[in-house]
Amino acid sequence: MLEQFKKEVIEGLSKITQKTLPSKYFYDKKGDGLFVKITRLPEYYLTRAEMEIFQEKTSEIMAALELDNGKKYSVVELGAGDGSKTVHLLRELIKRNYDFEYLPVDISSNALDGIKNFLSTELPTLVVKPSHNEYFKALENLKQDGTIKIILFLGSNIGNLMDDQATEFIYQLGSSLYKGDKIILGVDLKKAKEIILPAYDDNQGITAEFNLNLLDRINKELGSDFIRANFIHAPVYDEEEGIAKSYIKSLVKQSVILENHEFNFEKDELIHTEVSRKYDDQVVKQILSRTDITWEHKITDDNNLFADYILQRN
């Protein structure tokens, strides 16, 4: 994985028109901890809104899934997080005596250790089988196991992809599933800039630290020489387009060395690190239109900030 990390960093910083760094590498041990802090910030409404859905509207989710007590299920969570939302659904499945196993998938072993420890306390009878893997590799391994799949892709993680990439992701996801398998897709809904932008630029500077920690990780793991003080976190949100973007901005003209590569930065030059797409029904329908996945139900929090779409493989 270290070689892949290095390859992607070099490729991203070598781009001519817009340097990039992959957002998936935010999540080392420090990054995991910072993201948990972000989810608890007053400005970061996303986690609270989706938590409300899983905590207060579990019965709606269960009804939408249309499960059968005579069948065996695999609940597969892509990008498992800390389990604080999922635990409500898992508890209800246990309560209703469904035959299932929970399989969290993540590229962060730290996150998987955390969720396994959390669930061993909260739900001691639950069978948890963590998979430290890329999403589609994990799903390919599970495809032939004879269980019906319920895929959880929560937290608006799909929003880190542009729409054509999201369509390709959902299409690939569908190819890893069988007819009747379900997906719970969590998405952040379009809303005013005054609500969205602070979620990516909090007053305490924790999101900034989360973004800039990526430079520390590149220095530590790949031997680069980024000077943190020469860069700042720079998020923007286009309300009409419905896309928030995070950047790291160079404050001075400077050069950074990684192995035998030299990367030159102009003053105020931006490194693009993350996209956070916001959705409405039209965008979701467009993304699904070229896939084998259909939209069956939509469940929102009471303030209509966030939605979990229940999808099905045809």
Side-chain angles (χ1 to χ4, degrees), residues 26 57 79 112 141 146 173 177 182 193 220 233 243 257:
F26 284 147
K57 304 189 178 185
L112 291 171
N141 293 338
L173 187 53
L177 303 176
K182 307 282 188 177
K193 181 178 182 177
K220 181 173 66 178
H233 171 58
I243 296 179
I257 303 296

Side-chain angles (χ1 to χ4, degrees), residues 16 45 114 146 158 178-179 189 202 205 208 212 224 245 257 304:
I16 304 300
Y45 60 86
I158 190 77
Y178 288 112
K179 184 175 181 179
L189 298 175
D202 63 278
L212 292 167
S224 189
K245 295 179 181 178
I257 303 296
N304 208 41

Side-chain angles (χ1 to χ4, degrees), residues 86-129:
T86 316
V87 68
H88 300 286
L89 178 62
L90 299 174
R91 185 177 285 119
E92 190 66 20
L93 287 165
I94 292 170
K95 181 181 172 184
R96 299 191 188 195
N97 294 313
Y98 285 105
D99 183 6
F100 77 100
E101 295 177 341
Y102 173 61
L103 301 98
V105 180
D106 210 294
I107 61 169
S108 169
S109 56
N110 182 62
L112 291 171
D113 289 343
I115 196 168
K116 188 169 185 181
N117 291 336
F118 170 69
L119 291 174
S120 68
T121 302
E122 293 292 318
L123 304 171
T125 64
L126 177 66
V127 177
V128 181
K129 295 183 176 179

